[in-house]
Amino acid sequence: MKTLTINLIGIYMIVAMAACQGSHRHVVIKTGDNYNMTCIEYWGRVVFNTEGTGILHISPNGSVKYSHDNQQLVAESDYRGHITYRINGGEKEQQLSPPEKLFVASAIKEMIKHGHNDH
């Protein structure tokens, strides 16, 4: 009886982890050396547009962080899926200026180049 209980708990845990895997995944990609470092970190699912220049979707309460040298992008989704951006430690914003859009596009191309492939 004790073995059956332990087996059922194990099966329950495997099923629960499989059910949650898509929305709670955490991925970290780091490349470079002491002089030229790129770090990509995201929680949940991040989907880029087909051109690889914009973010179409971030799963609710998910985020993506990108940093290269002294530049940083943080894009976060609230529980409704609305995305806000923070560039180089600035204020959160939903609408980006043309130079900010170029930076985001460049960052996304680097993320894809380094292995992020949801698009």
Side-chain angles (χ1 to χ4, degrees):
M1 184 67 166
K2 190 175 187 178
T3 304
L4 177 61
T5 303
I6 292 172
N7 287 338
L8 288 175
I9 291 171
I11 291 171
Y12 172 77
M13 290 175 62
I14 290 170
V15 170
M17 287 178 9
C20 294
Q21 182 179 2
S23 63
H24 294 5
R25 70 180 176 173
H26 178 217
V27 176
V28 178
I29 302 169
K30 290 185 179 184
T31 62
D33 54 31
N34 290 338
Y35 303 103
N36 191 13
M37 177 66 77
T38 299
C39 182
I40 303 160
E41 186 169 12
Y42 58 95
W43 291 264
R45 185 159 189 236
V46 180
V47 180
F48 302 136
N49 63 13
T50 55
E51 296 83 17
T53 58
I55 299 172
L56 289 178
H57 173 76
I58 300 175
S59 55
N61 297 317
S63 66
V64 61
K65 294 180 180 181
Y66 166 85
S67 62
H68 177 75
D69 294 335
N70 293 327
Q71 296 184 314
Q72 184 180 41
L73 164 68
V74 177
E76 299 173 314
S77 174
D78 64 14
Y79 70 97
R80 292 184 179 170
H82 298 124
I83 300 172
T84 57
Y85 300 89
R86 189 175 328 150
I87 297 176
N88 297 325
E91 296 293 318
K92 286 185 178 183
E93 49 191 311
Q94 290 184 326
Q95 300 297 319
L96 299 173
S97 68
E100 291 171 331
K101 286 181 183 179
L102 286 174
F103 172 67
V104 169
S106 172
I108 290 170
K109 289 189 182 300
E110 282 294 309
M111 287 185 238
I112 293 169
K113 178 179 156 186
H114 290 293
H116 187 293
N117 60 6
D118 285 350
H119 60 284

